[in-house]
Amino acid sequence: MGEHEDDTGGVGDHAQRDRTEGDRAVDDADETIPGSVDDLTDTDQSASQPSAGLDFDEVVLEETTESTGLFDDLLSGEPIFENKEVLRPSYTPHELPHRTEQINQMATILVSALRGETPSNILIYGKTGTGKTASAKYVSQELESTSQKYDVPCEVEYINCEVTDTQYRVLAQLANKFIEKNEAVIEGRLDRLRELQTRAAEDADALAGTEFESLDALEARLASLEADREEMETVPMTGWPTDRVYSTFFDAVDYHERVVVIMLDEIDKLVEKSGDDTLYNLSRMNSELTNSRISIMGISNDLKFTDFLDPRVKSSLGEEEIVFPPYDATQLRDILQHRADVAFKSGALTDDVIPLCAAFAAQEHGDARRALDLLRTAGELAERGQADTVEERHVRQAQDKIELDRVVEVVRTLPTQSKIVLFATILLEKNGVRNINTGEVFNIYKRLCEEIDADILTQRRVTDLISELDMLGIANAVVVSKGRYGRTKEISISVPIDETEAVLLSDSRLSDIENAQPFVQARFDN
């Protein structure tokens, strides 16, 4: 009985023998405290007074230990990146490998701006990720810094026409940028003239050698500048007639002497959305401007977009053309190594990472942007997995992730009819149907349209939509001969089915389909 009490309620003899000298010291100290020692737990004893046998700092550390927070574990590993921004498309490097020839071509054309002359308009062509925008921005930065060194008024304005895709928006954005710059110029002049006014009020000789013959002339100039500043009205993003926006832009850009290079990135998107009116107006401005000169630098992924331009615009816009060829795998390796040296910690990449990223991107028409995305995503995946280095497996995971992201974006932006056709094909494939033909897809498509009350297209039009899905790489449609029964298309899905179905069902119209199983079972019905 006594042994049982020892195990449950009291302190056993073996525990007593294991107590340290420090513990006994606590007991000795506790004898001076009113109340029974037995009434105190071990924690109470420690809290009441530090033991003579324990270091005070150890006691404090035990009391102030905090629980691990949500981000503590994630921050505990060594970071892989030194500067991740270097791997983003928006970053403009100080050096662009394998683009020296194109950069020198641009510089040769634009150097006339530093002489106060109007440079020729430039059209830059090349596939996505061939360094067009990065090279143009690099040359623009050099042009502006050189103009400041030689005190030549030269400015570059960048417009992304994928975002700013109408004549109104382009002109409004340009007008507001020049109004802002003009206001800064006016403020600078006002400060200098007010300082001169103060000195001239005390000493009339202060005006000697200046453009002002009298204090009245100086004050008139101050009033004129202040009136100019008051008249400058920012253009709203909507609401004005286009001719008023153009007039405001014209006055803003011609306010003082300067050479302006307007860089229109994705210029084909502007022409596709709004026609060539913007380019026509911009290309004709120099004949009307008094103080300033304008040059246009257009950047396009589409080598044929000028086919849709007015001949007059085409001849003036394409005065100089520069083509950016795709990078090969070796050049991509150089570009990646150049960026990786800055982006990652030393020793963070295994030897096979950069060659693999370059090889994957070389398959995508030499797309350096794709190569940089791969390398950055691989680094992020390694960091999330708390790996010490980026390895080949991370690159392959990144390739799958980027491909899936691309598929999701393409599927998400498909027209509703294409989504229904794709959904019909997915339903057939998920239910084990092999060698899916156009007729089977059309039967399921019709039933889906009836279910969600959508217009039913003809079978010929559905066949065209299947061909478009094939061109996008979402489906694979192969024409096969059925002998005397004619030819048909055999269709299969070439993207991850579950993820694609989830994207389709996120569409509010398709999400209304609660149970599509009966449609598949009746697929051969007319």
Side-chain angles (χ1 to χ4, degrees):
M1 180 69 183
E3 187 178 357
H4 179 70
E5 289 175 354
D6 241 3
D7 289 340
T8 57
V11 178
D13 293 337
H14 60 283
Q16 289 283 6
R17 286 194 296 272
D18 289 339
R19 295 175 66 193
T20 64
E21 290 298 320
D23 293 326
R24 284 194 290 273
V26 172
D27 288 345
D28 293 341
D30 284 339
E31 287 176 1
T32 62
I33 301 174
S36 171
V37 174
D38 293 335
D39 292 338
L40 296 173
T41 64
D42 291 342
T43 306
D44 295 330
Q45 293 175 34
S46 300
S48 61
Q49 186 172 328
S51 165
L54 291 176
D55 185 272
F56 183 77
D57 290 337
E58 292 178 9
V59 177
V60 173
L61 283 172
E62 286 179 4
E63 290 179 352
T64 57
T65 301
E66 294 181 2
S67 61
T68 303
L70 175 63
F71 293 98
D72 291 335
D73 286 341
L74 297 173
L75 289 171
S76 63
E78 283 294 317
I80 286 175
F81 290 104
E82 187 78 48
N83 182 4
K84 193 192 296 187
E85 297 306 308
V86 172
L87 299 176
R88 298 196 184 277
S90 56
Y91 176 77
T92 303
H94 300 298
E95 184 182 343
L96 285 152
H98 307 293
R99 285 296 176 248
T100 306
E101 180 185 340
Q102 288 79 12
I103 286 170
N104 287 338
Q105 277 183 271
M106 277 187 268
T108 304
I109 297 165
L110 294 175
V111 70
S112 56
L114 298 173
R115 303 189 184 105
E117 301 165 0
T118 310
S120 298
N121 295 323
I122 307 172
L123 271 183
I124 298 171
Y125 297 106
K127 290 185 178 294
T128 302
T130 52
K132 304 181 302 297
T133 301
S135 298
K137 284 185 173 181
Y138 171 78
V139 172
S140 299
Q141 289 173 1
E142 289 290 308
L143 180 67
E144 288 193 316
S145 62
T146 307
S147 72
Q148 290 169 7
K149 182 163 64 174
Y150 292 107
D151 198 24
V152 178
C154 182
E155 301 168 15
V156 181
E157 293 300 338
Y158 174 84
I159 302 280
N160 183 346
C161 297
E162 191 165 25
V163 179
T164 311
D165 58 357
T166 65
Q167 179 175 211
Y168 187 104
R169 289 178 185 172
V170 169
L171 294 176
Q173 189 170 325
L174 287 170
N176 290 338
K177 283 183 177 182
F178 286 112
I179 286 170
E180 185 180 341
K181 289 184 175 185
N182 291 343
E183 287 174 341
V185 168
I186 290 172
E187 284 299 328
R189 288 178 180 172
L190 285 172
D191 289 343
R192 289 192 297 273
L193 293 180
R194 284 170 184 149
E195 184 184 345
L196 178 60
Q197 182 187 33
T198 302
R199 285 189 282 113
E202 299 173 355
D203 180 9
D205 293 337
L207 296 177
T210 69
E211 60 182 292
F212 304 105
E213 296 179 356
S214 65
L215 192 57
D216 288 342
L218 172 58
E219 289 171 350
R221 180 63 176 146
L222 280 167
S224 173
L225 286 171
E226 287 170 350
D228 287 348
R229 185 180 58 185
E230 291 299 319
E231 289 174 5
M232 290 185 182
E233 185 178 0
T234 302
V235 181
M237 287 319 346
T238 56
W240 282 13
T242 305
D243 57 349
R244 182 183 175 188
V245 181
Y246 177 80
S247 175
T248 303
F249 162 61
F250 184 94
D251 293 340
V253 78
D254 205 35
Y255 183 71
H256 65 83
E257 183 182 350
R258 56 186 154 198
V259 177
V260 176
V261 178
I262 298 174
M263 193 191 307
L264 298 173
D265 201 357
E266 307 277 5
I267 190 173
D268 49 296
K269 299 288 195 302
L270 175 64
V271 174
E272 182 183 317
K273 178 80 178 282
S274 307
D276 56 12
D277 288 349
T278 312
L279 303 180
Y280 180 75
N281 288 330
L282 292 176
S283 63
R284 288 173 57 88
M285 278 184 70
N286 285 328
S287 60
E288 304 169 21
L289 291 168
T290 304
N291 298 316
S292 60
R293 291 289 176 267
I294 283 181
S295 173
I296 301 169
M297 182 190 293
I299 304 172
S300 173
N301 299 328
D302 183 1
L303 276 67
K304 296 181 179 179
F305 95 94
T306 54
D307 294 349
F308 304 101
L309 296 178
D310 183 291
R312 291 169 298 175
V313 177
K314 185 176 179 179
S315 62
S316 65
L317 190 63
E319 292 172 333
E320 300 279 355
E321 294 187 352
I322 302 174
V323 177
F324 280 64
Y327 295 109
D328 59 33
T330 304
Q331 292 173 330
L332 287 170
R333 278 203 298 272
D334 291 344
I335 292 167
L336 289 176
Q337 189 64 59
H338 192 261
R339 298 279 187 103
D341 290 342
V342 182
F344 290 96
K345 300 271 188 185
S346 178
L349 304 180
T350 57
D351 292 340
D352 50 3
V353 166
I354 286 178
L356 187 58
C357 287
F360 278 138
Q363 296 170 3
E364 300 279 336
H365 314 295
D367 187 341
R369 189 175 301 173
R370 176 64 177 264
L372 292 168
D373 281 346
L374 260 176
L375 186 56
R376 190 191 73 251
T377 305
E380 289 171 345
L381 291 172
E383 204 167 55
R384 286 173 203 164
Q386 295 187 316
D388 295 329
T389 55
V390 185
E391 301 170 5
E392 177 186 335
R393 63 188 174 91
H394 296 122
V395 177
R396 295 192 183 279
Q397 289 170 11
Q399 170 78 344
D400 293 341
K401 182 179 184 298
I402 289 173
E403 183 60 28
L404 183 59
D405 289 347
R406 185 194 73 83
V407 169
V408 167
E409 184 59 25
V410 170
V411 172
R412 190 181 63 79
T413 55
L414 284 173
T416 300
Q417 290 288 348
S418 295
K419 285 182 178 178
I420 300 172
V421 171
L422 178 57
F423 192 36
T425 312
I426 286 175
L427 290 175
L428 288 164
E429 193 154 314
K430 283 190 71 176
N431 282 271
V433 181
R434 296 291 173 262
N435 303 322
I436 302 167
N437 61 47
T438 311
E440 290 178 321
V441 173
F442 184 67
N443 284 334
I444 307 298
Y445 160 81
K446 282 196 301 182
R447 293 173 182 275
L448 291 174
C449 287
E450 290 165 358
E451 181 75 10
I452 64 173
D453 196 25
D455 295 335
I456 299 175
L457 303 178
T458 63
Q459 186 164 340
R460 179 181 292 275
R461 181 65 187 125
V462 169
T463 303
D464 291 341
L465 293 180
I466 291 170
S467 297
E468 290 175 14
L469 294 174
D470 183 32
M471 285 183 1
L472 290 169
I474 296 171
N476 187 27
V478 181
V479 178
V480 295
S481 174
K482 295 291 184 180
R484 61 196 180 104
Y485 296 105
R487 296 186 305 167
T488 186
K489 281 186 176 176
E490 287 190 352
I491 307 141
S492 60
I493 302 297
S494 52
V495 293
I497 289 180
D498 290 339
E499 288 85 349
T500 305
E501 184 182 18
V503 176
L504 290 172
L505 291 175
S506 68
D507 186 306
S508 58
R509 294 197 71 181
L510 292 179
S511 64
D512 293 339
I513 302 170
E514 294 181 2
N515 181 15
Q517 190 66 28
F519 307 149
V520 181
Q521 291 170 348
R523 64 182 180 275
F524 297 113
D525 295 347
N526 291 325

